[in-house]
Amino acid sequence: MTTTGEAHTEAPPPSAGPWWWGRVRSAVLDVSLGVVSAVECGFEGVRFARDAGIPEPAGVVFGVLAGSVLVLRRRWPIAVVLVSIAVMPAQMGFLMGIVGLYTLAASELPRRIIASLAGMSFVGALIVTFVWLRQDVGRGSLTVGDWVVPFASVTTALGVTAPPLLLGLYVGARRRLMESLRERADSLERELQLLAERAEERAEWARNEERTRIAREMHDVVAHRVSLMVVHSAALQAVARKDPDKAVRNAALVGDMGRQALTELREMLGVLRSGGVQVDRPQGAVMPLAAVGAAAAAAADRERSGGDEGLGEGPCLSELDALVGQSAAAGMVVDLSVEGESRSYAPEIEQTAFRVVQEALTNVHKHAAGAKTHVRLAHRVSEIAMQVENEPPPELSSASLARLPSGGNGLVGMKERVSALGGVFVSGPTDAGGFRVSAVIPAA
């Protein structure tokens, strides 16, 4: 980004001139004009001294002092114009009058002051020219008609005042326009910088959201089945010698769940490598996190996949019986009760309800292995409610020997899912020593 207008005002440019001049070039120009004006008025002071009957050196000094006032034209343009009007009867200060009037018109002074001084300069030039011409006609050095003197006076006064006045007004208006455009450009630059910063903040927020979504979806894919695998493995270890038939069944269940988990993980990892879409991307390009999140969600919603046969519709409430059956097969005593008339909901509502029950059962396997669990589902008029409550776990069981690790993200993920749909999620221990997970999701 380039330097803004505020920075320009705070730090002067490297070529700043002395005193009131903004640049060295401006100072050189004004001093040069002042010298030329002083020389002009000095020569004209000789004639003024002869006409006034004073010593010529005094007239020259007066002219030099009056002409050098032009150096102050940028600092005090009103003073320069007033001095030029004052010395106009002495027939000196022609350059000073023109340049001073131009500087006054181009300045930021109020228009009424500019108009007043321009009018005074015009009247002064008109009177002085009229008097000069009348004197020449009276001495006989000029023979013209009576109408020529007023016409020549008005024409000369307009020629001396109108061009510098109009040029100064044009230059001043153009300068103000350029400053306005520069300020607008600086303002737009600052706004663009703010928009870029906000866009970066929004992009960072979106990346964080997608990371959270990926973590939640992968957790849903892996945690439940792997937890059941660990529980079945512990049960297999306990009954391997006592009940070989049950050990065989548990081993078959572990194998099936392991293959399902590996299939879903393979699909997600394949999407993470390829981007999940059939598009040509430059080598080394980074896949957007949104595509990764969508891929993780799609893999998490794949149910009973047969390999690479495509994506399913995702989990739904009609599959709760199968979910409860898996937990029962792992040794959990689980009871499922459904209240109200069963009906279909939006896919995201059914998926969220299914994931809440699934994660709650997974937590029971992790933290209360062997505890009796009650799963309740209620279909209401405008909402759907679910509750998973487990009793205190037994002191020792084959499932409790599994020692399942916990990442502490299960409850957080359930709350995020339910809150995203405008629902309410509550979890906490019960008075009897168990744990309860409750969620209410709007049906619309």
Side-chain angles (χ1 to χ4, degrees), residues 195-215:
L195 289 176
E197 294 175 356
R198 293 178 181 176
E200 182 64 25
E201 292 176 357
R202 289 194 296 268
E204 183 63 25
W205 176 84
R207 286 192 291 267
N208 293 333
E209 288 293 318
E210 288 300 329
R211 291 189 186 100
T212 303
R213 180 185 177 191
I214 293 170

Side-chain angles (χ1 to χ4, degrees), residues 135-418:
Q135 289 178 353
D136 292 340
V137 171
R139 288 194 297 265
S141 58
L142 184 63
T143 304
V144 293
D146 294 337
W147 62 274
V148 175
V149 174
F151 177 78
S153 301
V154 173
T155 303
T156 303
L158 286 175
V160 173
T161 57
L165 179 65
L166 296 177
L167 180 61
L169 292 175
Y170 167 75
V171 172
R174 184 176 181 274
R175 183 184 303 159
R176 287 187 290 272
L177 176 62
M178 295 301 295
E179 291 177 356
S180 175
L181 293 177
R182 189 178 298 110
E183 291 177 357
R184 180 178 297 181
D186 294 338
S187 177
L188 290 176
E189 182 179 348
R190 289 191 293 270
E191 291 180 2
L192 289 176
Q193 187 174 2
L194 290 175
L195 289 176
E197 294 175 356
R198 293 178 181 176
E200 182 64 25
E201 292 176 357
R202 289 194 296 268
E204 183 63 25
W205 176 84
R207 286 192 291 267
N208 293 333
E209 288 293 318
E210 288 300 329
R211 291 189 186 100
T212 303
R213 180 185 177 191
I214 293 170
R216 184 171 61 245
E217 298 296 344
M218 294 189 71
H219 178 273
D220 290 339
V221 169
V222 179
H224 183 69
R225 288 201 174 99
V226 173
S227 298
L228 293 179
M229 288 172 59
V230 176
V231 173
H232 280 292
S233 298
L236 178 62
Q237 183 180 3
V239 302
R241 295 181 180 180
K242 298 178 182 180
D243 191 351
D245 294 336
K246 187 176 181 180
V248 171
R249 290 194 299 270
N250 287 341
L253 288 174
V254 170
D256 291 340
M257 293 178 183
R259 281 188 291 272
Q260 291 175 359
L262 287 175
T263 299
E264 293 177 351
L265 283 176
R266 190 184 303 115
E267 291 168 357
M268 275 195 299
L269 293 176
V271 172
L272 289 173
R273 292 192 184 99
S274 64
V277 289
Q278 299 298 326
V279 294
D280 295 333
R281 295 189 295 116
Q283 185 176 3
V286 179
M287 181 184 58
L289 282 176
V292 180
D301 292 338
R302 183 186 295 262
E303 291 295 321
R304 299 182 305 276
S305 174
D308 297 331
E309 296 178 358
L311 295 174
E313 295 294 332
C316 57
L317 294 176
S318 61
E319 301 174 5
L320 280 181
D321 291 333
L323 179 65
V324 172
Q326 292 178 357
S327 296
M332 177 188 295
V333 180
V334 55
D335 176 36
L336 174 62
S337 63
V338 180
E339 300 176 4
E341 184 178 356
S342 179
R343 63 182 187 274
S344 61
Y345 301 91
E348 58 271 15
I349 295 178
E350 295 206 9
Q351 293 174 16
T352 300
F354 182 90
R355 294 302 186 192
V356 169
V357 176
Q358 182 187 55
E359 182 59 29
L361 292 176
T362 302
N363 288 341
V364 175
H365 285 292
K366 290 181 179 180
H367 306 291
K372 184 176 181 180
T373 306
H374 303 277
V375 178
R376 298 181 180 88
L377 183 67
H379 299 277
R380 299 171 183 171
V381 177
S382 59
E383 61 188 15
I384 178 174
M386 64 226 64
Q387 178 178 295
V388 179
E389 180 180 351
N390 63 275
E391 298 177 358
E395 295 296 333
L396 184 63
S397 65
S398 61
S400 64
L401 299 176
R403 296 180 182 178
L404 292 170
S406 176
N409 297 319
L411 295 177
V412 176
M414 285 189 282
K415 185 175 182 180
E416 289 177 351
R417 285 181 177 274
V418 175

